[in-house]
């Protein structure tokens, strides 16, 4: 499993990305929990841990950006902040690219 989600400390939701991703569908649980929190109208914070994350293919960044853009267009925003833990230069560069695509 590429995405591990821990909601035991709500409103903090811990997201751990694993080492190996085989398809974009493996990222769906991350977006599923994001949409669920919006459906429940609960404010929350993401803490995204990428320390175990392998090299996510760059082709997934556009798909991730599209999903985030859809969420950002929703009328009310419940995500208060995102904390991202990064060690890898590859992941750091992917995040920078993602933030250039999604303002």
């Amino acid at each position: 499993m590429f995405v591990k989600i821990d909601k035991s400390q709500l409103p903090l939701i811990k997201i751990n990305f694993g080492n190996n991703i085989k398809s974009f569908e493996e990222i769906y649980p991350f977006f599923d929990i994001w949409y669920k929190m919006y459906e429940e109208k609960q404010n929350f914070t993401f803490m995204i841990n990428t320390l175990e994350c392998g090299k996510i293919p760059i082709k997934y960044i556009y798909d991730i950006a599209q999903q985030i853009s859809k969420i950002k267009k929703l009328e009310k925003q419940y995500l208060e902040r995102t904390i991202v833990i990064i060690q890898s230069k590859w992941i750091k560069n992917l995040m920078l690219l993602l933030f250039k695509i999604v303002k």
Side-chain angles (χ1 to χ4, degrees):
M1 179 174 282
F2 180 71
V3 176
K4 294 176 188 166
I5 299 168
D6 178 1
K7 289 178 44 176
S8 66
Q9 298 177 21
L10 277 175
L12 177 67
I13 301 175
K14 295 180 180 179
I15 307 291
N16 290 303
F17 287 113
N19 187 21
N20 193 10
I21 184 168
K22 296 178 182 111
S23 70
F24 183 69
E25 287 77 24
E26 291 187 77
I27 299 175
Y28 284 178
F30 172 62
F31 292 107
D32 289 345
I33 193 68
W34 199 337
Y35 280 112
K36 184 176 181 190
M37 296 306 291
Y38 276 57
E39 287 172 8
E40 295 175 2
K41 298 180 178 171
Q42 290 187 32
N43 292 332
F44 64 101
T45 296
F46 275 140
M47 182 181 341
I48 301 174
N49 184 339
T50 67
L51 295 179
E52 296 178 12
C53 197
K55 288 196 173 188
I56 297 175
I58 198 165
K59 66 183 178 181
Y60 296 138
I61 293 302
Y62 180 72
D63 294 324
I64 292 170
Q66 283 186 312
Q67 289 294 324
I68 292 172
S69 292
K70 285 180 189 177
I71 293 169
K72 287 184 77 166
K73 290 178 184 174
L74 296 174
E75 185 175 321
K76 174 95 168 107
Q77 296 298 309
Y78 295 97
L79 176 61
E80 293 181 331
R81 71 186 57 84
T82 303
I83 303 160
V84 184
I85 302 167
I86 302 173
Q87 181 175 345
S88 159
K89 286 185 181 182
W90 175 256
I91 299 298
K92 179 182 176 185
N93 289 331
L94 284 180
M95 294 296 284
L96 292 173
L97 176 60
L98 176 65
F99 294 138
K100 285 184 180 181
I101 296 170
V102 178
K103 302 289 181 211

